[in-house]
Structure formats: structure tokens, C-alpha cells
Amino acid sequence: MKHKIAIINSLGSHGSAFHFYLFGQAKGLINKGLDVYLYTNNKTTNPNIRGLNFFQFYRKLFDSKYKIFSGFRYIIGSTLSILHARIQGCQIIHYHIFYTNILVFFDFCLTKLLFGKVVTTIHDVNSFLDGFDSPMLTKWIYGMTDTIITHNQFSKNELKRKEYLKSKEINIIPHGNYLPFITPYDDPQYAREYLSLPKDRKILLFFGLIKKEKGLEVLLKALYHLKEKHPDILLVIAGKPWSNSFVPYQKIIDKYNLNDFCILHTKFILENNVKYYYASADIVVLPYTKIYQSGVLLMSLSYDKLTVVSDLAPLKDIITHHETGFVFKNNDEISLAETIDDIFSTQNYPQHIIENTKQMIRTKYDWDNIAGQTMSIYDSIIE
């Protein structure tokens, strides 16, 4: 009998590219023969994946500035999604967690009341949002899950440090690539023209939501050390500040006289424009100071870009120095500057590294391979 699986996620395409993760997961599972139902918000466009049952029961979730209205709409969306999934015969409800709160608790309680199995993919072990992740509430929520998935050994180790999770099965399944949903753009000169970027400079790209944990200040200070040796260097910052102001970064730009070496596109980047930013870049830099997994890294590799990352364990799990990218010492602007200088000063090996990443992103991070691993977990909890 073919398993029926529901993936329920209210976030979808709101403020990020997470919908591509959901679509990739659903597509891989369908290719493995599962019957997949995806429930999300009305802002997320139907991907029209063959065989996907797609529903948008979370309506106007992000339209109100009042949390009480958003919470009420969330509860309606969850209730309709969970009830519909169970009526359709979905044995497993698969949730994706970035933080825990009372609304997540409601989802898990209702799923268990309706005798559904709960699979939880934990993306951020601890929330990057202040005031989230009440220890007691988190304990209750994770206590209701039948099995847990996370993306790497570092996250698994962090979860195992929580006393109430020591007896829980925690599975490692990697974040998949973005290849089914993007088309790399192969004309960097036109891409720069389209974005009004200079065609004759070495472009570093910092892409994505700007959070304090993403280490933009480290990159700006590294840029200060690079500009004398590489006066044609240019940092493009493309992304919207999230829960913090851009003012601290602008102060660094002003202090180190970096205005002529930075172009700020500090706004939400439209999905249709993403390919132009990656095509324009010589190097994508992820100077993160704390991370559990990075969709931006998988996006960069899916666009076949040369990528520099800090030496955090979740990033080193994907990037091997001088083989599939470049690694510098976390929170060390000198190390970052030296790494970027090394790339620009050596013309021989970057193409070899790009070929390695092409092979890696198309095999280890293929959604069909990931779906096979996920199916084994589903089988283990369905009697």
C-alpha cells in the first residue's frame, strides 16, 4: 500500500526561498512512489509538480500587524490542514521547525489527538529569534514527535545535549539542492547590466536575510584589508535586514571608508532577480558566526558559484577547503581577507573546485537520494 504523507508548513515562500525546500522534498518523495500532500499559505505559488496534492489553507497569515489576528488565522489554517490530511488518509504529518511556540504545540497536539504520526525536521536547534524556544514548551513539543530529522552531525550533537531528547531517535538527512527550481544564468555581463552593477570589478556577493549571526561585519572589516591590494573589489550586499537595523553595518562602512567598495541592495530580493545576483558574482561569501544549516550555501552551490565559508561545523560538513570551496577562521576578518586574496591571486584552481561542487551538489544533495533516506524513516514509524 502506498504511504500518504502530509507536509505542513505555514512559512512557504514568505521572506525566503524555503518553499523550494518543500517543493524539492515533495518532488523527491513523489518520485519514490509516495502520495504527497503539501499544505502551506496562499502567498506560495503552486509549483505544479506532477502528482502533488497542493493546498493553501493558511490564508492572509502575514497581512496583519496584530499578532492575535495572525495567530487566529494560523490556528484556522492548521486545523483545516491537519483535519484534511487525516481525512485523506495521511498516516504521517511532517513538520519543519525553526522555533517552538504555542502554535507549534497546537499543531502537534491536534495531530496526536487525530492519531497521526509526527515527523519533525529541526532546522534551527535553538531559535535565532529572541524570546522564542521556551524550554518547557519545547520539551512538550519534541516529546510528541515520533522521530526527529536534522541536517548534520553538529545539529544532532546539539540536540542530544538536551536531556529530554537523549532517548529520542535523531536522524541525519542533508538539505537538498535547488537544481529542480532554478536556471543558472550564464551571461554575467548582462546580469551586471541588469542590476546596474559595474562590469569591470571583482564582485563579492553577500546574499540573503541580514541577521547578526551571519557575520556581515566580519566581511566588511575584511573588505577594508582587501581594498588596497584589490582596488577593483566590490561587495554587493543583497538582502533585507531581519529583526535588526542596517545602521551598525553602515557605521562600519563609514568608519573604514568603504562606500566606494559596497553596493547596498538591502531589500527583499524578488525571486526572478536571484539568478542575476549569482551570475554577477565572482565569489559568494558566507561569513556566518553561528549556523545550523544554510540554504544560501546550497543555493550558491546550485548556481555553481565559488563559495567562501567560515569554519563552522555545519558549513565544513559541505565545504572542504580547496576541494569544494574555501574555508576561513570563524569571526576572523584577517583570515577571510587572506582567503579572498588567495582566490583572486591564483587563477588555476577555482574552475577545478567548481567542477567538484557540481558533482557533489548533483549527487549527495539530490532530492531523490534524500527522499530514499526519508522514506526509510517513515517506514520505521508506520506499523
Side-chain angles (χ1 to χ4, degrees):
M1 179 179 176
K2 184 162 68 170
H3 293 328
K4 291 187 175 183
I5 308 297
I7 302 169
I8 298 180
N9 180 266
S10 64
L11 180 63
S13 62
H14 177 69
S16 73
F18 187 66
H19 57 303
F20 289 139
Y21 184 109
L22 300 173
F23 298 163
Q25 181 182 51
K27 189 173 188 293
L29 293 171
I30 291 167
N31 289 343
K32 292 296 182 180
L34 274 66
D35 198 357
V36 180
Y37 293 70
L38 176 58
Y39 301 86
T40 188
N41 62 65
N42 63 307
K43 298 292 186 180
T44 302
T45 303
N46 188 336
N48 294 313
I49 296 170
R50 185 175 181 179
L52 176 64
N53 304 286
F54 184 77
F55 302 94
Q56 299 165 302
F57 291 144
Y58 293 95
R59 312 292 296 182
K60 298 182 179 180
L61 197 58
F62 310 105
D63 292 356
S64 176
K65 64 180 179 179
Y66 300 106
K67 290 184 178 180
I68 189 169
F69 292 132
S70 298
F72 182 67
R73 289 168 180 165
Y74 182 98
I75 290 172
I76 293 174
S78 286
T79 301
L80 292 174
S81 298
I82 296 166
L83 284 173
H84 187 273
R86 292 298 290 135
I87 290 170
Q88 294 301 313
C90 295
Q91 304 101 316
I92 288 176
I93 312 291
H94 195 143
Y95 293 101
H96 293 271
I97 301 297
F98 294 89
Y99 52 82
T100 56
N101 61 18
I102 194 66
L103 297 176
V104 177
F105 181 68
F106 171 83
D107 291 342
F108 282 39
C109 284
L110 182 56
T111 302
K112 300 308 286 187
L113 283 171
L114 295 175
F115 303 103
K117 300 286 188 179
V118 174
V119 174
T120 308
T121 295
I122 300 176
H123 294 264
D124 292 343
V125 176
N126 295 300
S127 174
F128 293 133
L129 287 171
D130 294 336
F132 280 74
D133 287 348
S134 160
M136 184 58 69
L137 195 59
T138 301
K139 179 180 178 180
W140 292 340
I141 288 170
Y142 290 165
M144 286 186 281
T145 191
D146 291 280
T147 193
I148 291 171
I149 297 171
T150 195
H151 289 121
N152 50 57
Q153 188 64 49
F154 175 80
S155 295
K156 179 175 180 176
N157 292 343
E158 289 291 294
L159 288 168
K160 282 295 187 182
R161 291 172 58 186
K162 300 178 185 294
E163 189 67 32
Y164 53 84
L165 287 178
K166 286 185 177 179
S167 61
K168 282 282 184 182
E169 181 182 2
I170 301 175
N171 308 274
I172 298 175
I173 297 180
H175 186 308
N177 63 44
Y178 291 86
L179 292 173
F181 311 107
I182 66 169
T183 303
Y185 194 71
D186 59 3
D187 188 345
Q189 293 302 307
Y190 177 79
R192 292 186 179 195
E193 180 181 335
Y194 180 84
L195 296 172
S196 301
L197 301 176
K199 296 181 179 181
D200 58 348
R201 296 183 72 173
K202 301 169 183 172
I203 291 185
L204 309 176
L205 176 64
F206 177 96
F207 188 88
L209 289 173
I210 302 171
K211 307 177 186 180
K212 62 182 180 180
E213 297 83 8
K214 290 194 173 183
L216 178 56
E217 70 280 1
V218 179
L219 177 53
L220 289 169
K221 292 174 183 178
L223 184 64
Y224 167 74
H225 295 289
L226 284 162
K227 67 176 185 174
E228 296 300 325
K229 188 171 181 180
H230 301 278
D232 59 344
I233 201 167
L234 179 68
L235 171 61
V236 175
I237 301 171
K240 183 179 179 180
W242 183 63
S243 297
N244 64 323
S245 167
F246 193 78
V247 171
Y249 308 111
Q250 186 61 54
K251 287 182 178 178
I252 296 173
I253 292 171
D254 294 338
K255 177 181 178 180
Y256 292 107
N257 297 315
L258 297 175
N259 286 286
D260 293 337
F261 298 89
C262 295
I263 288 184
L264 309 181
H265 290 185
T266 48
K267 59 185 179 181
F268 177 75
I269 305 301
L270 296 175
E271 188 175 306
N272 291 338
N273 289 339
V274 172
K275 62 183 178 183
Y276 297 116
Y277 283 95
Y278 281 99
S280 298
D282 294 295
I283 303 171
V284 179
V285 186
L286 284 71
Y288 299 172
T289 58
K290 182 180 180 181
I291 200 72
Y292 295 106
Q293 177 60 290
S294 173
V296 173
L297 175 55
L298 273 297
M299 180 74 79
S300 177
L301 298 180
S302 297
Y303 275 110
D304 300 327
K305 300 306 297 185
L306 206 60
T307 307
V308 175
V309 303
S310 55
D311 63 355
L312 299 176
L315 303 179
K316 289 173 64 180
D317 186 61
I318 300 172
I319 297 296
T320 301
H321 190 53
H322 279 200
E323 291 185 18
T324 53
F326 296 85
V327 179
F328 73 96
K329 294 178 182 177
N330 179 31
N331 220 357
D332 187 334
E333 66 264 24
I334 300 299
S335 175
L336 176 53
E338 290 174 346
T339 301
I340 294 171
D341 176 53
D342 181 37
I343 298 169
F344 284 140
S345 300
T346 306
Q347 301 300 322
N348 296 325
Y349 55 72
Q351 188 58 43
H352 172 66
I353 291 173
I354 289 173
E355 291 304 319
N356 288 343
T357 61
K358 283 183 178 181
Q359 175 66 20
M360 176 183 68
I361 202 70
R362 287 160 175 77
T363 52
K364 182 178 179 180
Y365 300 100
D366 175 72
W367 281 110
D368 285 354
N369 291 338
I370 289 168
Q373 299 172 53
T374 308
M375 281 180 62
S376 297
I377 293 170
Y378 293 163
D379 289 338
S380 71
I381 63 172
I382 295 178
E383 297 177 358

